[in-house]
Amino acid sequence: MRLKFVLLLLAAFSLSGCSVYNFTGTGKIDADTFQVNYFQNNAELIEPGIERTFTLELQDLIQNQTNLNLVNTGADLLYEGEIVDYRITPMTATADQRSAQNRLTISVLVRFTNRNKEEDDFEKRFSFFYDYPAEAQLVGPILTTALEEIFGRITQDIFNDSLAKW
C-alpha cells in the first residue's frame, strides 16, 4: 500500500514539472500572435523563388509547433530579414584536380522582435549547407532536396533561438 502511494506521488510530481513545456521544447510563450515578413533575396547569386519558399517554411514551422496565430500586422512576435548569401563552392577534388563534390550554402539574416519581452529581441545570421556530386546540376529534385534540408535546419534554428531558447 505504501509503495503505491509513493509511486503515485512520484508520478504526480513528474507530471506537474512538465506543465510549462510542450512537446516542441518551448516554454510558456508570452504572446498570442506572430508575423513573418517576406524575406527578400539579397544574395549576390540569385535563385528565383527561394525567398517565398523560405518565408512560407518559417511560417509553417511556427504554426505547426506552437499555438500562436499568424497575422499580417501588429503581431506580438515579428520575424523579418533577408537571404544574404547563396553560394556554391567546390568541396573535394579528384586525383585529376577536378571537383568531386560541391556545397550549396545559404545564409539568412533574421531580426526577431518580441513586443512583450524586449530582452528576447535579436538580429542574427543563420546558415546551413547541402553537399551534392559535382557532376550533378543543381536543378529539379537535387535543388528541391537541398532547399528542404537547408531551410529545414535554418528555420528550426530560428525557432529554437526565438522561442525554445536552446
Side-chain angles (χ1 to χ4, degrees):
M1 181 71 173
R2 187 176 180 122
L3 181 62
K4 286 182 182 178
F5 177 74
V6 170
L7 289 174
L8 182 64
L9 193 59
L10 281 172
F13 279 120
S14 65
L15 290 176
S16 68
C18 296
S19 65
V20 175
Y21 291 96
N22 61 34
F23 290 112
T24 62
T26 62
K28 184 177 184 317
I29 300 172
D30 293 328
D32 296 317
T33 59
F34 77 100
Q35 174 181 339
V36 178
N37 286 349
Y38 191 74
F39 277 72
Q40 291 292 327
N41 187 354
N42 294 332
E44 218 172 281
L45 181 61
I46 300 290
E47 177 63 40
I50 66 170
E51 62 277 4
R52 182 178 188 281
T53 302
F54 177 78
T55 301
L56 293 174
E57 284 200 28
L58 183 56
Q59 287 175 349
D60 289 346
L61 179 83
I62 296 168
Q63 280 186 308
N64 291 337
Q65 293 192 16
T66 69
N67 60 356
L68 297 172
N69 295 311
L70 176 63
V71 297
N72 292 325
T73 58
D76 298 324
L77 306 177
L78 174 63
Y79 295 85
E80 56 189 347
E82 53 272 343
I83 297 171
V84 293
D85 194 19
Y86 180 98
R87 179 174 16 114
I88 300 168
T89 52
M91 293 307 297
T92 57
T94 62
D96 59 352
Q97 299 300 315
R98 290 187 317 175
S99 178
Q101 190 175 46
N102 288 333
R103 174 172 286 179
L104 170 62
T105 304
I106 299 177
S107 300
V108 180
L109 180 66
V110 176
R111 289 176 297 282
F112 172 72
T113 305
N114 183 337
R115 291 195 170 109
N116 298 329
K117 196 173 178 185
E118 288 182 20
E119 60 269 18
D120 286 352
D121 295 358
F122 65 78
E123 181 172 336
K124 186 174 177 182
R125 184 180 177 129
F126 296 87
S127 293
F128 200 63
F129 61 89
Y130 179 81
D131 293 336
Y132 63 96
E135 67 273 1
Q137 294 291 318
L138 190 58
V139 294
I142 293 177
L143 179 60
T144 300
T145 301
L147 293 177
E148 285 173 0
E149 191 168 313
I150 292 169
F151 288 163
R153 175 65 175 269
I154 291 174
T155 56
Q156 190 63 55
D157 287 348
I158 294 166
F159 178 86
N160 291 346
D161 280 8
S162 62
L163 296 173
K165 306 290 191 278
W166 289 10

